[in-house]
Amino acid sequence: MFESLSERLGGILDKLTRRGALTAEDVNEAMREVRRALIEADVALEVVRSFTDKVRTRAVGAEVIRSVSPGQQVIKIVHDQLVEMLGSTAQPIDLAAVAPVPIMMVGLQGSGKTTTSAKIARRLTQRQKRKVLLASLDTRRPAAQEQLRVLGEQNGIDTLPIVAGQTPTQIAERAMTAGRLGGYDVVILDTAGRIHIDEPLMMEMAEIKRVANPHEILLVADSLTGQDAVNLAKSFDERVGITGIVLTRMDGDGRGGAALSMRAVTGKPIKLIGTGEKSDALDDFDPGRIAGRILGMGDIVALVEKAAEEMDLKKASEAAKKLQKGLFDLDDLREQLGQMIKIGGMKGMLGMMPGMAKIKNQLEGANLDDKVLKRQIAIINSMTKAERKKPDLLNASRKRRIAAGSGTKVEEINRLLKSHRQMADMMKMMGKKKGGLFGGLGSLFGGGGMPDIDPAAIEELQRQGKLPPMPGGLPGGLPGAPSGTGAPPVGLPPMPPGGMPGLGGFRGGLPGLGGPKGPGGFPFGGKKK
């Protein structure tokens, strides 16, 4: 959603970082461009004025003039103001109340209330181990109650039995009674919507609020509606009193203005964002991380969280022990490729890495398709157990059999085997080093972070030809990730064998792996400036 805004701001701020010293006129010119970019992104006018005034005031002050790198200092100021505009700190759903905690979902018809209700229930069940009851109070839309029942069934969430003829307030009373008698921690009330705000809708919401006394009233708003979503939030807050906002369709191609304006205009925190249709496509709204994405700094934390969520801890532990011994067979490679697909494939993973916004066009031209990963997995699946354990068994006739079984060519099998050998050599070398690549795996999920990796060691492996042919390497678990991020070497798999076509021209690898620094002076693998 923020791609166009990110490109515009990135271009404006890059001009500042290329200058050795900044004058007040330089800053004013940049702020004019920033103002234009934010208005084009459909950010509310009063928010734009406040934002640019605050940045200008700080950017022409002593803290920038005396800075060693004034351009990067301005980027930090813009980042800090973006965070402030988005709400400063992340505010998750508040469950600090007597069980069952009622959560009331409100919003217009078509904004995604029912789907979001099921997503939140799944999230609370799986992440916080809460017992959740879903109840549909939508008696107007055909099959709305049935839709919630099916979603609950698909995600293993209990739903309130449907009783025909009851009013929304009667269903709310019954839901709260069932929640108390059934020992539920949370009761989610999915209310009805309209195509526009009207008096009967508001009266119904107020009556449900009186009966259920919800601890949280979450407004579900479609982020593609732009400033209408902000006006909607104002109206619901005045009549019902919302406690937070959930923005849906953040994976769409909207301009992002609603997300940037909502918190500043309404004063209500954005708690969650919907990033897709699937039941797990719901993320926390963290102002710092969103600001980082907008300014092209990536979101390593989200990448690590996604990897940790999708990882099988038992398999990860077993793989870590094998890798420490320098063992890396084709079964391990298949597991790593499967993990990469789960966390969003190559595009999804690279999109969250710092500095990647600057080479976005080259990445798109590189044809990074997850079909490549699936073909590699198909090749490995066509091998026997013995062949996967000992690739040296693969002679010409076996390779022809595997190619026929996987629908590929012998050349592709040879490339896969060559890349696997290079990875295995690298794993063996890293595993032998005391406190090396896998030294921190034991503390990965115990609060510790990934050990620092010396980029010089990676470059040395590249020169020796012991890394797969890919830009900057990125073997195993993203060597060079900042210490303390907890980036898992096992959960974040290596790049696909054969590397990424079309990216061979980047000297020094991807940003931060011996290459250029990301925006704001945050090199990927170095220290924050």
Side-chain angles (χ1 to χ4, degrees):
M1 170 161 281
F2 296 113
E3 273 185 7
S4 59
L5 179 61
S6 181
E7 285 178 15
R8 287 289 305 277
L9 291 181
I12 296 163
L13 297 173
D14 273 354
K15 291 178 185 175
L16 295 181
T17 55
R18 285 197 289 266
R19 298 183 185 182
L22 291 182
T23 65
E25 184 52 41
D26 291 334
V27 174
N28 287 332
E29 184 183 342
M31 286 307 104
R32 281 195 292 272
E33 293 292 325
V34 168
R35 185 192 298 116
R36 189 175 294 122
L38 291 173
I39 289 172
E40 286 178 5
D42 203 19
V43 180
L45 187 58
E46 63 266 33
V47 178
V48 174
R49 283 176 179 157
S50 172
F51 176 82
T52 51
D53 287 346
K54 287 177 180 176
V55 171
R56 184 186 293 106
T57 301
R58 291 183 59 190
V60 296
E63 66 178 287
V64 170
I65 301 303
R66 295 174 185 172
S67 172
V68 176
S69 52
Q72 291 180 353
Q73 191 68 21
V74 171
I75 290 177
K76 182 183 183 303
I77 292 170
V78 171
H79 178 270
D80 291 346
Q81 285 303 134
L82 267 177
V83 171
E84 185 182 314
M85 182 169 72
L86 292 168
S88 296
T89 57
Q91 296 190 32
I93 292 175
D94 181 15
L95 299 179
V98 178
V101 181
I103 298 176
M104 181 174 165
M105 310 293 290
V106 300
L108 294 185
Q109 191 172 308
S111 60
K113 284 193 307 302
T114 303
T115 307
T116 302
S117 298
K119 286 180 179 181
I120 292 174
R122 181 183 188 272
R123 188 183 183 86
L124 294 176
T125 301
Q126 294 191 353
R127 291 197 179 188
Q128 300 186 32
K129 309 302 179 188
R130 304 298 178 107
K131 188 179 180 184
V132 183
L133 177 66
L134 282 168
S136 175
L137 279 58
D138 191 349
T139 58
R140 296 175 179 272
R141 183 166 63 89
Q145 292 177 303
E146 181 64 19
Q147 180 191 358
L148 192 67
R149 186 194 67 76
V150 170
L151 286 170
E153 196 175 273
Q154 289 173 347
N155 293 287
I157 311 294
D158 293 339
T159 54
L160 189 71
I162 300 169
V163 176
Q166 284 195 324
T167 65
T169 50
Q170 288 173 333
I171 298 172
E173 288 178 333
R174 184 161 59 91
M176 293 311 299
T177 302
R180 284 188 288 271
L181 295 176
Y184 289 92
D185 299 309
V186 180
V187 175
I188 296 178
L189 305 171
D190 176 27
T191 66
R194 306 281 195 283
I195 57 172
H196 60 274
I197 295 171
D198 58 13
E199 192 58 30
L201 169 66
M202 290 305 181
M203 288 177 65
E204 184 179 294
M205 297 295 107
E207 188 62 19
I208 293 169
K209 180 182 177 182
R210 184 188 64 79
V211 169
N213 190 25
H215 185 64
E216 285 267 32
I217 301 177
L218 300 179
L219 171 68
V220 182
D222 186 342
S223 57
L224 297 183
T225 57
Q227 290 308 300
D228 271 351
V230 180
N231 298 329
L232 173 75
K234 280 183 178 177
S235 300
F236 268 99
D237 189 38
E238 288 167 3
R239 294 298 302 272
V240 185
I242 61 175
T243 60
I245 299 163
V246 181
L247 283 178
T248 58
R249 301 192 196 178
M250 288 289 285
D251 56 324
D253 57 357
R255 291 173 290 182
L260 294 174
S261 307
M262 195 78 83
R263 175 66 172 81
V265 173
T266 65
K268 303 298 178 181
I270 301 170
K271 300 205 169 190
L272 297 164
I273 51 174
T275 55
E277 292 296 322
K278 293 183 178 179
S279 57
D280 61 345
L282 191 69
D283 294 338
D284 291 316
F285 184 87
D286 187 304
R289 284 155 55 179
I290 294 292
R293 286 193 201 183
I294 292 172
L295 294 179
M297 296 174 184
D299 192 351
I300 284 292
V301 177
L303 180 59
V304 173
E305 281 181 355
K306 183 74 173 171
E309 191 177 318
E310 297 294 343
M311 274 175 66
D312 184 322
L313 296 187
K314 187 178 178 183
K315 285 184 180 178
S317 178
E318 291 170 357
K321 288 175 184 175
K322 287 181 69 176
L323 293 174
Q324 280 181 318
K325 296 175 183 175
L327 302 175
F328 186 74
D329 59 28
L330 288 166
D331 280 324
D332 297 319
L333 178 58
R334 179 178 59 183
E335 183 69 25
Q336 298 277 290
L337 293 172
Q339 292 282 6
M340 179 178 274
I341 291 172
K342 280 185 180 179
I343 63 174
M346 286 182 282
K347 279 188 179 177
M349 194 176 90
L350 290 172
M352 293 184 186
M353 288 171 57
M356 298 309 281
K358 292 189 175 183
I359 56 170
K360 183 169 125 341
N361 293 334
Q362 290 92 326
L363 286 176
E364 287 177 358
N367 192 27
L368 300 181
D369 196 335
D370 288 346
K371 287 180 183 176
V372 175
L373 304 182
K374 291 174 182 176
R375 285 168 74 86
Q376 304 287 3
I377 292 172
I379 290 172
I380 298 172
N381 285 340
S382 296
M383 298 177 185
T384 65
K385 198 171 184 178
E387 288 168 346
R388 292 197 295 270
K389 293 290 180 189
K390 293 185 178 179
D392 293 339
L393 294 174
L394 294 171
N395 54 27
S397 62
R398 287 178 184 245
K399 288 177 183 176
R400 284 195 295 271
R401 187 203 79 234
I402 293 165
S406 59
T408 56
K409 296 179 181 178
V410 172
E411 291 85 348
E412 292 180 66
I413 297 170
N414 288 334
R415 281 199 297 271
L416 170 71
L417 295 174
K418 181 180 178 182
S419 293
H420 169 259
R421 277 195 303 274
Q422 291 170 325
M423 288 180 193
D425 289 344
M426 182 196 68
M427 298 297 178
K428 191 176 291 185
M429 183 177 293
M430 291 293 190
K432 286 178 181 177
K433 287 191 177 183
K434 189 175 180 181
L437 181 60
F438 308 109
L441 278 174
S443 62
L444 177 58
F445 292 95
M450 179 179 169
D452 287 324
I453 309 286
D454 183 6
I458 303 298
E459 291 176 11
E460 180 60 30
L461 286 170
Q462 287 176 316
R463 280 195 292 273
Q464 293 174 11
K466 292 186 177 180
L467 283 185
M470 47 190 154
L474 286 183
L478 300 178
S483 179
T485 58
V490 180
L492 296 181
M495 283 293 145
M500 298 191 291
L503 285 177
F506 287 99
R507 293 282 177 189
L510 292 172
L513 293 179
K517 294 177 181 177
F522 293 174
F524 189 47
K527 295 180 180 177
K528 292 184 179 179
K529 290 191 177 179

